[in-house]
Amino acid sequence: MSDAVFDLTLERIALIRRMVVAWGGSEPGAPTVHPDAPYGSLDRDGDIANVTGDDEGAEEEHRSLEQGLAVFAQNAQLKPGRYQYHNGLAKLDHGTVGDVFRDAQTGETPEHITFAVTAEHLALIPHLAYGWDPAANVPRVDPVQPYGGGGAYTAAMARLLAAVPEAAANDDEDAETHRARLHREMQPALQIFLRYADLGPGDFRRSESSGAWEPA
């Protein structure tokens, strides 16, 4: 792997599918990989070794998934629809990160989630600002500018959703409220995307013009 080309292996895809997506950062916040159990258990290196078959190199493999997450999100394909998943956050500490499904009064998080992923969610996922949280040592989306650039995050969402027919058909709430709700739904939408979207292994190169990852 180099800065120019990323090798998306079967093992890296398997680790991406195991990622536990939580909600992190101050307002507006954004999806983040759970810092204590990025791949489902509290034994991060053991989880990685179970996938790679290698007891060494876990930190390097984990660190590579900053790019791996962006590659997967920008190239995998998923159809809109209702999906179910087991919520790994139900058994994890919420001290440093949150869950948009967590009950504010009881503090409980449901173990099983059924969620409808829409064309709007799928239009936003490739454009999330994927990066690295150095304090938590996990991949994350920038919680301050979750769609990159400057200005209000909802304005960036409006630009990204301009070509999505469904985005103009929300008569039950005003546009700003709808985009704020849609943004918080990116936690379950991204979790489902990582688990169910289709993408095979291969080499990917970052485009010099757009900065996005494309098949090499």
Side-chain angles (χ1 to χ4, degrees), residues 54-72:
D54 184 0
D55 291 334
E56 300 181 358
E59 179 64 33
E60 181 181 358
E61 197 66 16
H62 175 63
R63 189 64 180 82
S64 76
L65 293 181
E66 174 189 357
Q67 292 181 324
L69 179 59
V71 168
F72 191 89

Side-chain angles (χ1 to χ4, degrees), residues 27-204:
E27 291 298 325
T32 184
V33 174
H34 197 289
D36 299 328
Y39 308 107
S41 86
L42 298 177
D43 182 8
R44 186 203 71 177
D45 290 359
D47 288 343
I48 294 173
N50 286 338
V51 171
T52 63
D54 184 0
D55 291 334
E56 300 181 358
E59 179 64 33
E60 181 181 358
E61 197 66 16
H62 175 63
R63 189 64 180 82
S64 76
L65 293 181
E66 174 189 357
Q67 292 181 324
L69 179 59
V71 168
F72 191 89
Q74 293 169 8
N75 289 275
Q77 297 294 316
L78 183 72
K79 292 182 179 180
R82 294 182 69 81
Y83 294 85
Q84 293 181 333
Y85 66 92
H86 177 77
N87 186 13
L89 296 172
K91 62 180 180 180
L92 295 172
D93 181 18
H94 290 276
T96 56
V97 291
D99 179 8
V100 297
F101 293 111
R102 186 182 185 190
D103 188 293
Q105 294 183 333
T106 67
E108 295 181 353
T109 290
E111 291 187 12
H112 301 281
I113 303 293
T114 300
F115 183 77
V117 177
T118 68
E120 291 177 287
H121 298 123
L122 296 174
L124 293 171
I125 284 173
H127 298 283
L128 288 167
Y130 299 99
W132 190 259
D133 183 342
N137 195 34
V138 288
R140 71 169 180 183
V141 174
D142 186 335
V144 178
Q145 295 290 340
Y147 302 94
Y153 76 97
T154 52
M157 293 176 71
R159 292 191 295 271
L160 294 169
L161 295 172
V164 180
E166 290 86 342
N170 298 284
D171 299 328
D172 57 331
E173 57 188 350
D174 67 81
E176 192 73 6
T177 299
H178 175 69
R179 287 192 285 269
R181 176 177 62 80
L182 190 66
H183 175 59
R184 288 187 62 81
E185 291 175 350
M186 295 309 290
Q187 178 197 318
L190 182 61
Q191 181 71 85
I192 288 168
F193 189 87
L194 299 185
R195 294 195 183 181
Y196 294 109
D198 292 326
L199 183 64
D203 290 338
F204 292 81

